[in-house]
């Protein structure tokens, strides 16, 4: 994509609307793949769409056409972060209702629901929650094993736990 994208970027910066449309079309799949690693599954399409709108509006400001791919991925990553901020802004669950809901279920039902909740997680969230909460690995051990930073490990773990809680409670914590 690099040489072709470079050519399309130069043409699009020159005002060629067809080149811009083709560039956005061709980079959509790469942006989506990248977003899949940085966003919650439900946010991928929104992040990609917003990123492509930003690219269309600000392409003229890109100084080096050869840096288009890294610029695109930076925009996608920022959009994923922006969308994920909504995840952490939520009302606290009524703990009494929460406890009553789970007290009425058998241990077998709770285990099944937990398995379904874990199964619903994207692979990188499942991996980190299994390492930390089931294998009881430390954050340092997780970082070393997965080759990620402490901040990334903590963010993934927080997101994974939030998604499991959302699944188990049926309350959309991302709204």
């Amino acid at each position: 994509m690099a040489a072709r994208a470079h050519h399309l970027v130069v043409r699009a910066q020159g005002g060629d609307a067809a080149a811009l449309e083709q560039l956005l079309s061709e980079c959509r799949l790469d942006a989506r793949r990248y977003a899949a690693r940085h966003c919650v599954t439900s946010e991928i399409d929104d992040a990609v769409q917003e990123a492509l709108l930003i690219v269309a509006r600000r392409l003229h400001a890109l100084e080096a056409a050869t840096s288009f791919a890294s610029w695109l991925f930076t925009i996608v990553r920022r959009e994923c972060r922006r969308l994920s901020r909504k995840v952490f802004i939520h009302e606290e669950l009524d703990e009494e209702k929460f406890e009553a809901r789970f007290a009425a279920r058998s241990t077998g039902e709770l285990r099944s629901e937990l398995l379904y909740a874990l199964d619903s997680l994207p692979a990188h969230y499942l991996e980190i929650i299994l390492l930390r909460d089931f294998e009881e690995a430390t954050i340092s051990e997780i970082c070393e094993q997965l080759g990620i930073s402490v901040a990334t490990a903590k963010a993934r773990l927080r997101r994974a736990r939030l998604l499991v809680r959302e699944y188990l409670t049926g309350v959309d914590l991302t709204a």
Side-chain angles (χ1 to χ4, degrees), residues 121-132 145-146 156:
L121 292 174
H124 60 287
Y125 292 141
L126 176 61
E127 182 176 41
I128 200 155
I129 207 165
L130 290 176
L131 286 170
R132 181 70 175 132
Q145 186 172 344
L146 300 180
R156 282 186 190 172

Side-chain angles (χ1 to χ4, degrees), residues 91-170:
E91 292 181 26
E92 289 299 316
L93 293 175
D94 182 347
E95 292 301 321
E96 288 180 23
K97 288 181 183 176
F98 183 76
E99 287 178 25
R101 183 175 180 174
F102 288 102
R105 296 184 179 141
S106 72
T107 303
E109 288 175 322
L110 291 173
R111 283 186 182 144
S112 291
E113 286 187 43
L114 180 58
L115 286 173
Y116 287 126
L118 291 172
D119 193 44
S120 74
L121 292 174
H124 60 287
Y125 292 141
L126 176 61
E127 182 176 41
I128 200 155
I129 207 165
L130 290 176
L131 286 170
R132 181 70 175 132
D133 293 339
F134 291 89
E135 294 182 22
E136 298 180 350
T138 65
I139 293 294
S140 298
E141 292 168 339
I142 292 169
C143 292
E144 186 177 319
Q145 186 172 344
L146 300 180
I148 58 176
S149 69
V150 170
T152 300
K154 288 181 177 182
R156 282 186 190 172
L157 182 59
R158 188 177 317 120
R159 175 81 55 96
R161 288 175 174 164
L162 185 66
L163 290 171
V164 167
R165 185 172 182 171
E166 178 181 313
Y167 185 96
L168 293 173
T169 62

Side-chain angles (χ1 to χ4, degrees), residues 2-173:
R4 181 160 172 75
H6 174 75
H7 179 69
L8 289 172
V9 168
V10 171
R11 286 182 36 215
Q13 285 179 320
D16 185 341
L20 177 61
E21 188 175 328
Q22 189 173 0
L23 176 67
L24 294 176
S25 176
E26 289 185 12
C27 71
R28 177 179 297 276
L29 184 59
D30 290 329
R32 192 171 201 312
R33 242 186 317 238
Y34 189 80
R37 291 186 299 176
H38 294 279
C39 289
V40 173
T41 303
S42 62
E43 297 172 348
I44 293 171
D45 291 329
D46 291 338
V48 170
Q49 183 174 348
E50 288 299 317
L52 293 178
L53 284 171
I54 291 168
V55 167
R57 279 183 271 168
R58 298 187 184 158
L59 186 62
H60 66 279
L62 181 64
E63 292 180 20
T66 55
S67 63
F68 175 76
S70 62
W71 181 63
L72 170 66
F73 296 144
T74 299
I75 293 169
V76 171
R77 187 173 55 251
R78 284 183 185 153
E79 283 304 304
C80 287
R81 285 184 188 151
R82 184 184 66 77
L83 291 169
S84 72
R85 285 186 198 121
K86 294 188 315 184
V87 170
F88 301 110
I89 301 172
H90 63 275
E91 292 181 26
E92 289 299 316
L93 293 175
D94 182 347
E95 292 301 321
E96 288 180 23
K97 288 181 183 176
F98 183 76
E99 287 178 25
R101 183 175 180 174
F102 288 102
R105 296 184 179 141
S106 72
T107 303
E109 288 175 322
L110 291 173
R111 283 186 182 144
S112 291
E113 286 187 43
L114 180 58
L115 286 173
Y116 287 126
L118 291 172
D119 193 44
S120 74
L121 292 174
H124 60 287
Y125 292 141
L126 176 61
E127 182 176 41
I128 200 155
I129 207 165
L130 290 176
L131 286 170
R132 181 70 175 132
D133 293 339
F134 291 89
E135 294 182 22
E136 298 180 350
T138 65
I139 293 294
S140 298
E141 292 168 339
I142 292 169
C143 292
E144 186 177 319
Q145 186 172 344
L146 300 180
I148 58 176
S149 69
V150 170
T152 300
K154 288 181 177 182
R156 282 186 190 172
L157 182 59
R158 188 177 317 120
R159 175 81 55 96
R161 288 175 174 164
L162 185 66
L163 290 171
V164 167
R165 185 172 182 171
E166 178 181 313
Y167 185 96
L168 293 173
T169 62
V171 176
D172 183 4
L173 300 173

